[in-house]
Amino acid sequence: MKHLGKIALLIAGIGTLCAALMLFGARLGLWEPITGFGLYRTYFNPLAAVIAGAGLLALVIHLVRKEKAQALLGGVAAFIGVALLIPLIASSFNPTTRAAPIHDISTDTVNPPLFEVLDDTRAGASNTLDYGGPELAEAQAAAYPDIAPLETDLSADEAFQRALTVAQDLGWEIVAADADRLRFEATARTSVFYFADDVVVVVTPLEDGSRVDMRGVSRVGRSDQGVNAARIRDFQQRFRE
């Protein structure tokens, strides 16, 4: 009993390491992103509950026994467990709106930019790069009405270079770039789970500037949880800065 606080803190340390691996194991090359996501959905909250429970048990027992040092260790373990449970607690009080069941987002839904280099053989992909047509366009307009082409005063060549620079600054892997045709394809990854989304950017000359269109497609999943729309917004905001 006298070492229960240390044991609880050890459980918290090992549990936190396991939780981190669920979130970032794919980035370390341990498994595919979908595997880490599956581990997270199955084990993350139960693991956090075990850590919190062990910490609270140690805290109460050591407080009753008036063992302040061990009680402090139990309190730290309990705090770690509760911190890991915050996403679950927050979603219970304020449920997030379910994202639209689409994973292909384009600034131009009439003539969406096409992928030429990236194809359906890309690693781990279960989603096709063929555009879904009017039904997809209608679903996107309902879910993300703000997604639209970016018009700029820059010349087409300047806009292309600016777009390429922004993409590189965002850490995207540039798969192919064609300065003559003012287009490039890239792969962007999410910070958590390391899911891969494929991106194509095309610049079109205008009379008094240029237009930048962008399309993002997630490799797996029916819904991208709004990630591609958020990426387009972030790209456009950084482009304007």
Side-chain angles (χ1 to χ4, degrees), residues 14-228:
I14 295 174
T16 301
L17 176 60
C18 291
L21 288 176
M22 292 178 199
L23 299 176
F24 306 109
R27 182 183 290 273
L28 298 175
L30 298 180
W31 46 61
E32 291 297 318
I34 194 64
T35 300
F37 182 66
L39 290 172
Y40 171 83
R41 293 191 63 179
T42 305
Y43 299 112
F44 189 89
N45 290 328
L47 178 62
V50 168
I51 295 172
L56 287 171
L57 178 63
L59 175 62
V60 171
I61 290 177
H62 287 303
L63 284 176
V64 171
R65 292 165 60 94
K66 297 182 179 180
E67 296 167 338
K68 294 183 179 180
Q70 291 297 319
L72 177 61
L73 296 180
V76 172
F79 176 81
I80 292 172
V82 172
L84 293 175
L85 284 171
I86 285 177
L88 175 63
I89 296 170
S91 63
S92 298
F93 285 100
N94 185 26
T96 56
T97 303
R98 185 181 293 273
I102 53 178
H103 58 264
D104 186 344
I105 307 298
S106 175
T107 57
D108 185 346
T109 58
V110 177
N111 295 299
L114 300 178
F115 289 91
E116 296 180 352
V117 177
L118 289 165
D119 58 28
D120 293 340
T121 65
R122 60 209 196 283
S126 59
N127 289 328
T128 178
L129 286 172
D130 294 333
Y131 191 70
E135 290 185 1
L136 175 57
E138 183 178 349
Q140 177 183 311
Y144 311 111
D146 61 310
I147 299 300
L150 171 64
E151 294 192 0
T152 172
D153 294 334
L154 298 176
S155 69
D157 288 333
E158 291 173 332
F160 172 78
Q161 291 301 325
R162 175 62 181 159
L164 195 58
T165 298
V166 171
Q168 292 168 335
D169 289 344
L170 286 169
W172 300 356
E173 177 190 353
I174 307 301
V175 176
D178 190 335
D180 293 331
R181 298 175 61 204
L182 303 172
R183 69 187 322 275
F184 67 84
E185 297 179 30
T187 296
R189 289 188 177 270
T190 59
S191 56
V192 177
F193 301 120
Y194 212 48
F195 280 111
D197 300 325
D198 295 311
V199 180
V200 55
V201 176
V202 177
V203 178
T204 303
L206 300 177
E207 278 189 25
D208 53 354
S210 57
R211 164 175 157 163
V212 182
D213 280 294
M214 174 178 166
R215 179 182 169 203
V217 183
S218 296
R219 293 190 182 183
V220 296
R222 185 167 177 237
S223 172
D224 64 6
Q225 302 301 318
V227 169
N228 283 298

